[in-house]
Amino acid sequence: MKYVIIGNSAAAVGCIEGIRQEDTKGSITVIASEPYHTYSRPLISYLLYGKTDEQRMKYRPDSFYKEKKCTAMLGRTAEKVNAEAKKVILDNGEEIPYDKLLIAAGSAPFIPPMNGLEKVEKRFTFLSLDDAKALEKAISADSRVLIIGAGLIGLKCAEGICDRVKQITVVDLADRILPSILDEEGSGIVQEHIEKKGIRFFLNDSAAELTDGRVVLKSGTELDFDVLVVAVGVRPNISLAAEAGAETGRGIVTNKKCETTLPDIYAAGDCAQSHDITTGQDRVLALLPNAYMQGECAGINMAGGDKRYDKAIPMNAIGFFGLHIITAGTYDGEVYTVKKGHSYKKLFTKDNRLMGYILIGDIQRAGIYTSLIREKTPLDSIDFDLIREKPQLMAFSRKERSRVLANR
Ligand SMILES: Cc1cc2nc3c(=O)[nH]c(=O)nc-3n(C[C@H](O)[C@H](O)[C@H](O)COP(=O)(O)OP(=O)(O)OC[C@H]3O[C@@H](n4cnc5c(N)ncnc54)[C@H](O)[C@@H]3O)c2cc1C
């Protein structure tokens, strides 16, 4: 059996480990544009922060490909998938035949049209190890950095370089920071915390005109900068699958077995859609644990096993300057809010189920809330009044307790 994987990150690693649970003999070839051993993408900001290094940010040990009996073609890009001939064509013209293929190509930075962007010499995105290295070279203790985008990637970038530059200004079209994961109140708390580090925000605003070193915002505010980081979002890499004839939406369409609509071609991770059980919609859940689990599910099925990926929920665990945040699910239904000092908790319940939550500051035992969402636990089957105040296993019946513990 010849397994081929396009990509070399969380979804690809999940797939390799999934395949090897079922098949220890088949050949696995990994094709990866980036020339590096697999690394944990979220750690690129910690690299700049000085909290990790290239060795420690590896997602698996140096021995990984050898142990899993993989051929890693690092620094090679897959240019085309020929689904009829079952071959992947590389950038050097080489053809790699496959019996089962996984597309785990992730996403690429989205750069919206901005007047004058091309005039800015020192401009960067922040998605890869090479991006982080290039940014590191461009900044100095005197740099004034303008970050466009107050989402997860823009703010992680800000955290990473905060102590290494003179000034950071963040601009976003939205009226609050982290708009995709936080409500207004939660955003306010996190923004206040980040501002204490001297980072400035211009929200509800955008870059109307850029020149090298100066931006005029839509509001009329003018700002000087030395380095620009564009972090407004990402686009799933769907073109290989789409050109091969697979059905695509915002991401590559997959079923619960992580199969695409083409025979023997699977997709996983940030390039693929999965079924969000909290909203009932198929959508891209661009999160590392999701990429790994989807990849693992694909790998098991590619190798002849039988696995379903049917517990996908949006979930973010993130922190900025020591303030921890965990969010999960959908913010729909009746709301229960608790605020204590710098801690903030919001739970959303509907139809006898926990639909979602936001925890800022005190994130202990968030796994219990996550499990209630993932398992769709009926709230009248547990002591939810107790759990709402303080997540604890004692509020579950003995039987429920072992199930929750098993799924955490
Ligand atoms: C700064 C930052 C912070 C983040 N923080 C968090 C966090 O706190 N929590 C969280 O859950 N997630 C976080 N994420 C998101 C997380 O990193 C992604 O969800 C995860 O890496 C997705 O894994 P993946 O395997 O799907 O794809 P990716 O990690 O995007 O990897 C895809 C790989 O495929 C390669 N590739 C693409 N096309 C081709 C081709 N044609 N041929 C060969 N190779 C190709 C790419 O070069 C890339 O190496 C963060 C991301 C960033 C950038």
Side-chain angles (χ1 to χ4, degrees), residues 6-7 9-11 31 33-34 41-42 77-78 104-106 152 269-270 286-289 317:
I6 300 173
S9 188
I31 301 161
S33 299
E34 292 184 76
R41 197 165 299 283
T77 293
L152 187 148
D270 284 10
L287 300 162
L288 190 140

